[in-house]
Amino acid sequence: MSPNVDLVLVNPGERTKIYQSLGSTLTAIEPPLWCRLIGGYVRDRGHSIHIIDAEADHLTADQVAERIAQLAPRLVAMVVFGHQPSASTQQMVGAGLTCRAIKARLPEQPIIIVGGHVAALPERTLREETVDFACNSEGPVTVAQLLDALKEPAPPLETVEGLVYRVAGTEGDADGGTIRNNLAPALIKDLDGDLHGDVWDLLPMEKYRAHNWQCFGNLGARQPYASIYTSLGCPYKCSFCCINAPFGVNRYRMRSPDAVVAEIDRLYNEYGVKTYKFIDEMFVLNERHVMAICDRLIERGYDLNIWAYARVDTVKPHMLEKLRKAGFRWLALGIESGSEHVRDGASKSFTQDDIRVVVQSIQAAGIHVIGNYIFGLPDDDVESMRATLELAKELNCEFGNFYSAMAYPGSPLYAMAVEKGWALPEQWSGYSQHSHDCTPLPTEKISAAEVLRFRDQAFTEYFTNKRYLDMVAQRFGWETREHIEQMTKHSLSRALLESGMEVLAD
């Protein structure tokens, strides 16, 4: 029987298992970048595609399986990248449930699983999940070649670059079968031609929404919304980051400014999108690239609300006026720690004064700042974590993200944790910052429970601080202040704190 469609790409759901109550209204729902990139690459090569965004459409695993049954595809690609690199591992929860549901409904349906987490642990993923194939790299080339191979009576799987699969007709090992891990393909160079991601016609555009904080002062502007990319990868080597796991190298690839702005033109004119996220792990890095995009956006006068990532040591004061005119309303800075010693250990070598000057410069230009902070980095103790919180309160950024240190698969910190035998989460959901079973890394001085307790208390202390709330009321109005006060009433259930576990690192 011929398939109705060659490829169905699935963005897994199950938000409540990752975000608890926060997932219903406060967090963003973003267009799935890598479903778009893989889908566009495959469609350009003559294959028919369909996208199921289970997150946006609030589909259960069984509902996805039923849609797959109706579509009868040649191949299902479970795409597990998440909204940012560290989200890939937590997305494995919904991905695993959905793969099991598909196989229960359709035992013979071929499934490949792709993503940052998968690329970091390809053979383990193949052994643990109910899938036929895994991908050890970024995905588009592997999926396209696999589709071609599956059209053959005897699929030549050994020719599919980046494919991880079980070898038939050989004696299995103790882990459930001999696995072949093909060499990864070369990284795609022509991002404009090959990774354009122009499959917006296949997505439920009316379902996507921005984070609450991006629209402080106008909370009704969270929709319509879109996230796009201007670059892939990152040249830095922060110990806690897993962004380069699917790429295999610390490399920074850029789209042309013309292609980026052409995509915004389409989203603005066809879908009315004015609110955007630039997904790049490091957008404010290459000044020529950034300024060229800004110049083109300024020419159009779209009055956009964009947020993007930057580093303290890549933000140049002379760039800020143009960024603001182009529509950048928020920049997210990885401040990480209030201790210079702890930051050095995480490969973030800038001073407290550097941080203060850059934050003040950004705010003076009329751009809001999101400060990102991490508690429980390897050199942390209670005193250094308190220093981080005090720095956050001093900087008084318009928003703050407070994280517990996690050894995400694909990061140097994960390799260190495995080598040293540190306790890691028992389930992939434990890598989510907001899940019930969230399990941060312990350090040599503090337990995982102490880290998590401090993180949760720091969140409350920051967002209920009178100085912060007064600033919010002044800049965004009383409605936003009241919204934040309601936000802080969301209480996260934490198994680690309820059980009183106090596991120290060896």
Side-chain angles (χ1 to χ4, degrees):
M1 178 177 170
S2 299
N4 294 331
V5 64
D6 290 317
L7 176 68
V8 173
L9 298 131
V10 179
N11 182 42
E14 306 293 345
R15 288 173 63 82
T16 57
K17 297 183 187 301
I18 298 171
Y19 296 108
Q20 299 190 60
S21 63
L22 301 180
S24 59
T25 59
L26 297 174
T27 59
I29 300 176
E30 297 186 3
L33 174 67
W34 282 94
C35 282
R36 291 200 298 111
L37 300 189
I38 296 171
Y41 184 91
V42 167
R43 188 159 71 173
D44 286 351
R45 282 148 185 81
H47 301 287
S48 57
I49 68 168
H50 186 89
I51 296 176
I52 297 176
D53 191 342
E55 180 182 26
D57 284 331
H58 304 288
L59 300 177
T60 65
D62 287 337
Q63 288 172 325
V64 173
E66 181 58 34
R67 287 199 182 184
I68 297 292
Q70 295 169 4
L71 291 164
R74 187 183 308 278
L75 177 67
V76 170
M78 187 64 56
V79 184
V80 196
F81 271 95
H83 297 166
Q84 37 88 6
S86 60
S88 182
T89 293
Q90 66 191 36
Q91 289 291 103
M92 288 296 297
V93 179
L97 287 170
T98 307
C99 289
R100 290 192 290 275
I102 294 170
K103 283 294 189 181
R105 177 79 169 77
L106 305 160
E108 301 304 314
Q109 174 63 60
I111 303 175
I112 182 172
I113 189 165
V114 182
H117 173 97
V118 180
L121 303 173
E123 295 186 16
R124 177 175 172 180
T125 301
L126 188 63
R127 289 191 175 99
E128 292 182 350
E129 306 299 335
T130 51
V131 297
D132 303 277
F133 312 104
C135 176
N136 62 24
S137 44
E138 58 187 356
V141 172
T142 303
V143 173
Q145 290 184 3
L146 179 59
L147 280 168
D148 288 334
L150 292 177
K151 293 179 180 179
E152 302 294 330
L157 300 180
E158 69 280 0
T159 68
V160 179
E161 296 173 287
L163 190 69
V164 184
Y165 61 100
R166 297 175 185 86
V167 180
T170 60
E171 184 178 351
D173 61 23
D175 293 319
T178 301
I179 289 176
R180 178 163 180 167
N181 193 335
N182 292 350
L183 290 176
L187 289 176
I188 294 171
K189 295 180 180 179
D190 183 4
L191 301 190
D192 294 347
D194 290 333
L195 294 184
H196 52 77
D198 187 8
V199 294
W200 296 103
D201 55 300
L202 300 180
L203 296 175
M205 295 298 293
E206 74 283 359
K207 303 288 182 67
Y208 300 116
R209 71 176 184 223
H211 282 292
N212 61 329
W213 51 259
Q214 187 174 358
C215 295
F216 279 178
N218 185 12
L219 292 167
R222 295 176 66 189
Q223 293 176 301
Y225 170 75
S227 54
I228 67 170
Y229 86 105
T230 82
S231 67
L232 294 175
C234 181
Y236 295 100
K237 298 180 181 180
C238 300
S239 65
F240 49 81
C241 185
C242 55
I243 185 173
N244 287 315
F247 311 133
V249 293
N250 290 80
R251 185 174 297 173
Y252 186 73
R253 291 174 288 165
M254 295 178 289
R255 298 173 73 187
S256 72
D258 285 334
V260 171
V261 177
E263 186 168 38
I264 292 175
D265 286 339
R266 178 178 180 189
L267 291 165
Y268 182 90
N269 292 313
E270 293 188 26
Y271 300 101
V273 179
K274 294 185 177 182
T275 306
Y276 293 85
K277 171 187 176 180
F278 279 18
I279 299 174
D280 312 34
E281 182 67 6
M282 195 53 53
F283 172 67
V284 184
L285 178 59
N286 183 297
E287 182 175 343
R288 179 181 297 181
H289 184 245
V290 171
M291 292 296 95
I293 291 171
C294 287
D295 288 337
R296 287 158 175 77
L297 290 176
I298 291 169
E299 290 173 359
R300 284 154 172 79
Y302 284 155
D303 188 27
L304 304 178
N305 175 359
I306 306 170
W307 83 268
Y309 292 102
R311 271 177 63 113
V312 169
D313 51 359
T314 65
V315 175
K316 309 303 180 191
H318 64 271
M319 300 169 65
L320 294 171
E321 181 180 359
K322 189 170 285 189
L323 281 162
R324 179 62 178 80
K325 287 181 178 179
F328 289 86
R329 301 291 184 264
W330 293 82
L331 290 179
L333 298 178
I335 297 168
E336 321 309 2
S337 176
S339 163
E340 292 189 19
H341 172 66
V342 173
R343 277 200 310 276
D344 287 345
S347 302
K348 284 291 183 81
S349 53
F350 38 76
T351 69
Q352 306 285 81
D353 287 341
D354 292 333
I355 295 169
R356 295 184 181 97
V357 168
V358 168
V359 169
Q360 291 168 4
S361 297
I362 294 171
Q363 292 173 328
I367 301 173
H368 309 308
V369 179
I370 313 158
N372 291 329
Y373 307 94
I374 301 177
F375 302 107
L377 289 165
D379 294 319
D380 254 331
D381 55 22
V382 173
E383 183 179 351
S384 63
M385 291 196 303
R386 170 51 62 176
T388 299
L389 177 56
E390 292 303 320
L391 176 62
K393 291 166 64 178
E394 176 196 339
L395 295 173
N396 207 31
C397 298
E398 286 84 350
F399 199 77
N401 286 319
F402 296 91
Y403 300 105
S404 304
M406 292 281 184
Y408 295 110
S411 70
L413 202 53
Y414 182 82
M416 184 188 304
V418 171
E419 178 185 350
K420 294 181 177 293
W422 293 346
L424 293 170
E426 294 181 1
Q427 305 292 330
W428 298 132
S429 55
Y431 285 87
S432 167
Q433 295 287 335
H434 304 100
S435 67
H436 175 66
D437 61 341
C438 175
T439 308
L441 274 179
T443 77
E444 293 182 357
K445 300 174 183 177
I446 45 180
S447 69
E450 289 175 298
V451 171
L452 186 59
R453 182 180 296 109
F454 192 97
R455 179 269 161 206
D456 286 355
Q457 292 172 349
F459 175 90
T460 300
E461 186 173 332
Y462 184 86
F463 285 106
T464 59
N465 181 27
K466 183 178 183 301
R467 178 169 174 254
Y468 173 76
L469 291 171
D470 288 346
M471 177 270 292
V472 166
Q474 181 181 13
R475 296 188 186 178
F476 302 109
W478 279 93
E479 181 184 3
T480 297
R481 175 174 174 153
E482 291 169 357
H483 172 81
I484 291 171
E485 290 172 336
Q486 290 298 314
M487 179 185 75
T488 58
K489 294 180 181 179
H490 285 262
S491 179
L492 294 173
S493 172
R494 302 293 205 183
L496 193 61
L497 302 184
E498 294 163 6
S499 67
M501 293 172 64
E502 302 289 330
V503 181
L504 289 170
D506 292 335

